[in-house]
Amino acid sequence: MSESNSGPILVPILGDQLTRTLASLRGRTKDDTVILMMEVWGEATYVRHHKQKIALIFSAMRHFASELEDAGWSVDYVKLTDDDNAGSFSGEVARAVERHDPRAIYVVEAGEWRVQQAIEEWSDKFDCDVEILNDDRFVCSQSEFNEWAEGRKTLRMENFYREMRKKTGLLMTADEKPEGGDWNYDSENRKPPKEGLEAPARPLFEPDSITQDCIALVEDKFPRHFGSLDNFGWPVTRTDAEKAADAFFAERIEKFGPYQDAMVHGSDDLFHSMLSTSINLGLLDPLELCERAEQSYRDGKAPINSVEGFIRQLIGWREYVRGFYWRFMPGLESDNALDAKRPLPEFYWTGETDMRCLSDAIRSTRDNAHAHHIQRLMVLGNFALIAGIDPREVQDWFLVVYADAYEWVELPNVAAMILYADGGKLATKPYAASGNYINKMSNYCSGCKYIVSKKTGEGACPFNALYWHFMDRHRDRLEKNPRIGRIYSNWDRMNEDRQAEYLDSAGAFLKGLEPAQDGWARR
Ligand code: FAD
Ligand code: DLZ
Ligand code: SF4
């Protein structure tokens, strides 16, 4: 530390660190701390985020700053439109160091690799102590994840999840057994939607003047970014996020489990919590949500398959993908085990396709900056997998279009979970499926221009031929996989002409795909 520094402690808080109990704020005194919050061009444009995502983050940041100020903290807030905006986190911290002459900078580690690289340079750049603190809003620290992963041949989420159940005590009996007798009730979470299945609407939050300013700013500065702002109704404060959570626990958790994998045309949220944007911003604590879910079970208000399913997503999948991301970055970004090279089709941006499942998922994505998990996995992801779309293009798309998308959670889900680009470190097998799966789990096919039961030729559901095209072109790798190998006996039972029909149908369809124009995802 330089002798000359006599200023306060500078605490930069990033856009996804909007938590009052953040590690860098704990133990600080208000008269000796300056909190720095920065709207910067670099973050808003490194990909062309959905308009709602930028408006959400800026509005949540501005609300959080004003709450801190009301509580007596000194907040130095840099707006995107400030004339001398430096454009990057490091540039803004440099300016703040000049303004405040801090004796130290305390910052919580970044969620994303790109930002963490920049933060790690601060101690060389600035003439004061720089302390990078663990983000203890996660149940599992990176060192704990690495310890768990070390020496294991396979990193299965299920094994990790059981450790997290034991660690947190969630849904555990007094004698340390899983509540209800089983660790996982996934097999009870696959109910197809029955005719007329409807879920109570989630609360939408009317934009206040701060949010309206952010919406206007986004319309003005990012007019060519993907998505519509018309339906903006995300919670932007902890108070509103808690109201959204209350509504989920009161009205939707009971059926969350059974219908977790269901899809209904035009019903964008179904029984999902719709809390990911608030959790990822730091407005809601995932562990508190899990405790509330457990309480619903203990109070007899929700069945075990709903509650366990919800808890598994949070202390299982969410924690696991974060550990996985840091363990395999930066390589994960360029992995392409299946050597997929096809450009992303333009319809991912426009929604203009006759495939009803895809057009509905893309419509929801455009209008709400959200699609639910099974749409992301089995419709948008499955299509990208079996059509052989280049992982870099699919990764960019998923990072751009969802209001809850941060690379640490998006990338493992896209590269590893849906595209198998990591070669199977995360998933035991690729999640490839034909139209049959989508037909079973949704009401999409009955209104689709394509015929789901038709396998090849004019009018056949494209997922059917693409599925076999995928299986055929990756036979060498997949045949050895015990979870998938037997599927090839079905293929081998077809005569050569039938196989050729499948491959020709898929080939013709792929040839007709219009590639996305440049500039949707990156400038
Ligand atoms: P719910 O269905 O109510 O689930 C509850 C919570 O569990 C979510 O809020 C989320 O925090 C967590 N969760 C559920 N599934 C996952 C998962 N696979 N990985 C991590 N957390 C999970 N989630 C993101 O938060 N950001 C992303 O960028 C993102 N990209 C995804 C991309 C693909 C290809 C896939 C298949 C999934 C992705 N997910 C992502 C996970 C999941 O789809 C979303 O978390 C979920 O749809 C958010 O809606 P919800 O809050 O209603 O979730
Ligand atoms: C996503 C995003 C955007 C669009 N803009 C900002 C911003 O201007 N300022 C900020 O602090 N954070 C922003 N974010 C979120 C960051 O990208 C996020 O904090 C990183 O994921 C941290 O690793
Ligand atoms: Fe999707 Fe095929 Fe069903 Fe159409 S028929 S909705 S393309 S699965």
Side-chain angles (χ1 to χ4, degrees):
M1 196 199 338
S2 149
E3 291 295 309
S4 61
N5 299 122
S6 53
I9 307 271
L10 184 68
V11 176
I13 296 186
L14 308 182
D16 56 357
Q17 299 181 340
L18 309 183
T19 310
R20 288 289 284 273
T21 52
L22 198 69
S24 53
L25 287 176
R26 290 202 303 266
R28 300 278 80 73
T29 49
K30 289 175 183 167
D31 56 1
D32 190 30
T33 304
V34 171
I35 294 168
L36 174 67
M37 296 185 67
M38 308 156 269
E39 294 172 9
V40 291
W41 289 96
E43 291 307 300
T45 59
Y46 74 93
V47 290
R48 297 183 141 200
H49 309 278
H50 192 298
K51 289 177 186 163
Q52 283 194 31
K53 181 177 171 187
I54 306 180
L56 168 66
I57 291 172
F58 285 6
S59 174
M61 284 173 63
R62 291 181 186 192
H63 279 93
F64 187 72
S66 114
E67 284 167 20
L68 288 172
E69 277 171 343
D70 289 349
W73 292 94
S74 158
V75 183
D76 185 353
Y77 193 97
V78 179
K79 284 196 169 165
L80 189 82
T81 44
D82 288 353
D83 283 344
D84 37 8
N85 189 302
S88 68
F89 287 139
S90 296
E92 278 307 331
V93 173
R95 290 193 331 118
V97 166
E98 294 221 338
R99 283 195 295 276
H100 304 291
D101 188 26
R103 64 179 189 286
I105 298 174
Y106 286 1
V107 63
V108 170
E109 61 187 333
E112 299 186 324
W113 195 83
R114 169 182 52 78
V115 178
Q116 183 66 10
Q117 298 312 295
I119 290 180
E120 282 172 10
E121 291 172 4
W122 290 357
S123 58
D124 288 339
K125 272 197 172 129
F126 307 124
D127 187 20
C128 62
D129 275 351
V130 176
E131 286 211 32
I132 305 175
L133 308 168
N134 277 346
D135 190 347
D136 52 17
R137 297 173 302 167
F138 289 88
V139 175
C140 181
S141 69
Q142 194 53 38
S143 55
E144 194 182 347
F145 185 89
N146 286 337
E147 227 169 86
W148 170 79
E150 208 53 51
R152 279 174 195 261
K153 266 202 196 131
T154 56
L155 300 183
R156 296 297 160 238
M157 194 289 291
E158 182 62 28
N159 300 333
F160 170 82
Y161 165 56
R162 291 179 189 189
E163 295 302 316
M164 293 302 107
R165 285 273 294 278
K166 289 181 210 156
K167 179 174 179 181
T168 58
L170 285 160
L171 287 183
M172 299 297 289
T173 60
D175 55 351
E176 306 221 330
K177 299 268 178 352
E179 191 66 51
D182 287 316
W183 288 101
N184 182 318
Y185 292 82
D186 201 24
S187 59
E188 294 172 37
N189 292 358
R190 296 177 193 147
K191 222 171 167 175
K194 52 179 190 249
E195 187 74 27
L197 178 71
E198 274 183 41
R202 74 169 145 139
L204 290 174
F205 299 87
E206 193 62 35
D208 64 6
S209 62
I210 296 181
T211 304
Q212 282 170 18
D213 283 352
C214 294
I215 289 175
L217 173 81
V218 170
E219 285 291 23
D220 182 34
K221 301 291 176 200
F222 309 102
R224 292 186 49 237
H225 283 217
F226 175 75
S228 158
L229 281 157
D230 296 347
N231 287 353
F232 190 103
W234 295 110
V236 292
T237 60
R238 179 167 167 89
T239 307
D240 283 353
E242 278 173 343
K243 286 186 195 149
D246 290 347
F248 171 66
F249 288 115
E251 296 164 4
R252 302 201 301 285
I253 192 169
E254 190 193 344
K255 296 213 171 99
F256 170 85
Y259 293 111
Q260 205 172 345
D261 286 1
M263 296 176 277
V264 176
H265 186 263
S267 181
D268 297 335
D269 316 340
L270 278 176
F271 297 96
H272 292 276
S273 70
M274 302 299 286
L275 297 176
S276 55
T277 57
S278 304
I279 300 168
N280 292 350
L281 285 167
L283 300 177
L284 291 178
D285 175 359
L287 209 48
E288 274 174 29
L289 293 172
C290 289
E291 283 157 5
R292 284 191 73 175
E294 179 170 22
Q295 200 54 47
S296 310
Y297 167 68
R298 301 214 182 273
D299 293 346
K301 292 186 181 144
I304 186 95
N305 59 328
S306 284
V307 169
E308 187 281 320
F310 183 73
I311 289 175
R312 175 163 20 96
Q313 304 312 313
L314 284 167
I315 62 163
W317 280 112
R318 186 171 185 272
E319 295 282 336
Y320 170 85
V321 297
R322 179 193 181 236
F324 188 94
Y325 171 78
W326 285 102
R327 188 160 177 83
F328 295 110
M329 275 302 276
L332 187 60
E333 230 174 4
S334 49
D335 277 353
N336 192 356
L338 300 182
D339 199 25
K341 294 203 174 100
R342 194 171 302 284
L344 188 80
E346 175 77 355
F347 73 70
Y348 269 74
W349 297 110
T350 62
E352 286 167 16
T353 167
D354 289 333
M355 290 178 281
R356 192 168 183 246
C357 50
L358 277 156
S359 71
D360 191 52
I362 295 164
R363 176 204 49 76
S364 172
T365 303
R366 184 194 60 222
D367 293 351
N368 308 322
H370 194 275
H372 62 73
H373 183 66
I374 211 71
Q375 293 173 311
R376 297 188 205 193
L377 181 68
M378 296 310 294
V379 176
L380 297 153
N382 179 30
F383 183 89
L385 170 74
I386 61 182
I389 311 296
D390 184 337
R392 293 301 279 253
E393 299 205 11
V394 186
Q395 285 154 209
D396 276 356
W397 187 82
F398 274 95
L399 190 57
V400 165
V401 301
Y402 293 117
D404 59 21
Y406 299 86
E407 195 184 66
W408 66 265
V409 50
E410 169 271 331
L411 186 58
N413 272 297
V414 173
M417 172 120 66
I418 64 170
L419 297 181
Y420 206 69
D422 65 334
K425 292 188 199 94
L426 183 145
T428 46
K429 64 180 180 73
Y431 280 94
S434 68
N436 205 17
Y437 176 88
I438 297 173
N439 190 32
K440 194 173 107 200
M441 294 311 299
S442 78
N443 66 354
Y444 284 137
C445 302
S446 53
C448 183
K449 208 170 154 195
Y450 293 106
I451 304 159
V452 71
S453 57
K454 196 163 183 240
K455 307 294 182 200
T456 59
E458 190 68 31
C461 166
F463 281 85
N464 294 334
L466 286 175
Y467 172 78
W468 283 118
H469 194 271
F470 172 81
M471 296 305 288
D472 183 58
R473 67 180 190 270
H474 296 297
R475 183 165 190 154
D476 282 353
R477 173 187 281 270
L478 299 182
E479 199 171 25
K480 291 179 237 128
N481 183 326
R483 291 202 60 205
I484 220 166
R486 67 196 155 74
I487 288 170
Y488 287 99
S489 48
N490 296 337
W491 178 241
D492 292 338
R493 269 199 296 274
M494 295 180 204
N495 65 37
E496 275 183 23
D497 289 349
R498 189 67 186 130
Q499 290 179 345
E501 279 167 18
Y502 270 109
L503 300 182
D504 290 349
S505 263
F509 177 82
L510 290 171
K511 217 168 148 195
L513 283 179
E514 193 193 328
Q517 290 167 21
D518 283 346
W520 275 113
R522 292 183 191 260
R523 273 159 216 274

